[in-house]
């Protein structure tokens, strides 16, 4: 059986799928928080929160699933990533917790509603920035000696990771604005149509900087990109095409296509990152096979995950189907 199935590849696929689902599913509700300070008025903010209220907590299930799977299947990743990214991961989790508390309390607050609005915005922005900075740190790579991280606590924080952090903030805000286009009507939808091209421009600016800078910090990526230029560059080309679709559909004032195309930008960018780094899970030294746990451990845990993933998919699909309508004042209709 061990010779028939490469469980390390299967686990890499499961974790990659879980993280991508988290980015797509939780990105747009983090985007609501990022956009909160710029909303036209308090009534618009109420509509924004109502648009994600039925789904936001379930979206974060994918982060838990991906994180738990990563610890179980690739323990070396945790032993290097956590010492390298303690501060970044702390900011990520603190932001998610802060926004979660603010989300619940804002619905009940009377005199302090504006404070919880700002808390929701700050928590969402910090969480998004931290995620982008962690991705930038992954692209840069990690200093190791043997199987131990040997760098400093702030080595992850560089101009490049600040750019990737701000880029993901703009990207999540884009998902948030296109979600509002799809789920709202009237003044809120008009405002979302107006800001979407600006957010797309910000995201594409960071996308360009990352594409230019990455080959200079990773020789493996440079070789892979330019030795396979006819194949590798299909993915960024598809991401750019999705960007064009966003602009065209916004101009035509279509409801659903801007959100679908925005998700396409993230999907093809994510696949481009995976293809560029494969099979390194802790760049520049360790592959998925170096970081993998034992075969028996992977097999035992795989049985549980194969039971859980269909349940999570079914729950997610059911929630989005039930709340597929437009959001109006007071909730879904």
């Amino acid at each position: 059986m061990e010779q028939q199935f490469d469980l390390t590849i299967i686990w890499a696929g499961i974790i990659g799928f879980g993280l991508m689902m988290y980015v797509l599913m939780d990105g747009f509700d983090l985007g609501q928080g990022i956009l909160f300070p710029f909303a036209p008025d308090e009534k618009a903010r109420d509509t924004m929160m109502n648009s994600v209220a039925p789904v936001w907590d379930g979206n974060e299930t994918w982060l838990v699933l991906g994180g738990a799977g990563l610890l179980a299947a690739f323990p070396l990743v945790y032993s290097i990533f956590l010492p390298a990214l303690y501060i970044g991961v702390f900011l990520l989790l603190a932001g998610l917790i802060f926004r979660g508390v603010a989300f619940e309390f804002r619905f009940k607050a009377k005199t302090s509603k504006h404070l919880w609005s700002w808390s929701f915005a700050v928590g969402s922005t910090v969480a998004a920035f931290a995620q982008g900075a962690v991705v930038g740190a992954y692209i840069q790579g990690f200093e190791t000696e043997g199987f131990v991280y040997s760098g400093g606590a702030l080595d992850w924080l560089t101009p490049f990771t600040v750019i990737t952090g701000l880029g993901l903030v703009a990207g999540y805000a884009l998902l948030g604005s296109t979600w509002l286009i799809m789920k709202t009507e009237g003044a809120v939808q008009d405002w979302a149509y107006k800001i979407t091209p600006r957010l797309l421009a910000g995201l594409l600016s960071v996308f360009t900087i990352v594409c230019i800078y990455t080959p200079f910090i990773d020789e493996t990526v440079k070789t892979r990109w330019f030795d396979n230029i006819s194949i590798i560059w299909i993915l960024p080309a598809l991401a750019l095409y999705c960007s064009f679709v966003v602009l065209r559909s916004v101009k035509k004032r279509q409801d659903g296509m801007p959100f679908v195309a925005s998700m396409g930008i993230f999907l093809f960018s994510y696949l481009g990152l995976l293809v560029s780094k494969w099979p390194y899970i802790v760049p520049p030294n360790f592959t998925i096979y170096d970081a993998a746990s034992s075969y028996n451990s992977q097999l035992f845990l795989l049985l549980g995950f194969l039971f859980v993933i269909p349940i999570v998919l079914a729950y997610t699909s059911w929630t989005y189907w039930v709340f597929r309508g437009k959001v109006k004042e007071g909730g879904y209709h």
Side-chain angles (χ1 to χ4, degrees), residues 21-22 24-29 51-52 54-60 62 179 182-183 259 263 312-325 332:
M21 288 294 292
Y22 169 74
L24 294 179
M25 297 293 99
D26 204 41
F28 67 81
D29 68 63
S51 75
V52 297
V55 298
W56 77 275
D57 49 352
N59 291 340
E60 294 179 353
W62 294 104
W179 171 263
M182 183 173 67
K183 303 299 288 186
F259 182 67
M263 294 180 73
V312 177
L313 282 171
Y315 165 80
T316 302
S317 301
W318 178 83
T319 303
Y320 281 92
W321 174 257
V322 170
F323 297 99
R324 64 189 181 278
Y332 275 82

Side-chain angles (χ1 to χ4, degrees), residues 10-20 65-67 69-71 73-74 270:
I10 294 173
W11 268 108
I14 290 173
I15 292 169
F17 174 74
L19 292 178
M20 186 69 253
L65 191 69
L70 192 65
L71 175 62
F74 302 102
Y270 181 73

Side-chain angles (χ1 to χ4, degrees), residues 94-106:
L96 291 176
I97 294 170
F98 205 54
R99 71 182 292 273
V101 173
F103 196 102
E104 298 296 339
F105 274 77
R106 186 182 179 278

Side-chain angles (χ1 to χ4, degrees), residues 104-291:
E104 298 296 339
F105 274 77
R106 186 182 179 278
F107 278 115
K108 301 173 176 61
K110 300 297 182 183
T111 58
S112 60
K113 192 172 186 178
H114 66 287
L115 295 177
W116 292 114
S117 293
W118 276 104
S119 299
F120 181 63
V122 170
S124 299
T125 304
V126 168
F129 176 83
Q131 289 177 29
V134 167
V135 172
Y138 170 77
I139 294 173
Q140 289 181 158
F142 302 91
E143 293 183 22
T144 57
E145 291 182 4
F147 294 101
V148 178
Y149 175 67
S150 59
L154 291 175
D155 284 4
W156 63 276
L157 187 61
T158 65
F160 180 71
T161 60
V162 171
I163 290 172
T164 57
L166 294 175
L168 197 60
V169 170
Y172 281 170
L174 176 66
L175 286 175
S177 68
T178 54
W179 171 263
L180 290 175
I181 289 173
M182 183 173 67
K183 303 299 288 186
T184 64
E185 297 175 335
V188 176
Q189 188 185 55
D190 291 339
W191 172 68
Y193 275 122
K194 182 179 178 180
I195 64 174
T196 293
R198 303 173 191 173
L199 295 171
L200 179 62
L203 177 61
L204 291 179
S205 299
V206 174
F207 183 82
T208 302
I209 293 171
V210 171
C211 287
I212 293 172
Y213 189 72
T214 299
F216 292 98
I217 61 175
D218 192 326
E219 192 64 31
T220 302
V221 171
K222 181 179 180 180
T223 301
R224 183 166 297 179
W225 279 12
F226 294 102
D227 286 355
N228 303 277
I229 193 167
S230 61
I231 300 174
I232 294 292
W233 288 87
I234 291 174
L235 294 171
L238 289 171
L240 289 175
Y241 174 73
C242 289
S243 302
F244 168 75
V245 173
V246 172
L247 287 176
R248 183 181 63 186
S249 56
V250 166
K251 185 176 181 180
K252 294 181 177 180
R253 295 186 70 86
Q254 296 175 337
D255 284 1
M257 185 54 67
F259 182 67
V260 173
S262 297
M263 294 180 73
I265 296 172
F266 273 83
L267 176 61
F268 292 121
S269 300
Y270 181 73
L271 291 175
L273 175 62
L274 293 182
V275 170
S276 299
K277 288 293 188 178
W278 181 264
Y280 293 95
I281 196 170
V282 185
N285 298 319
F286 300 112
T287 68
I288 56 173
Y289 296 101
D290 298 323

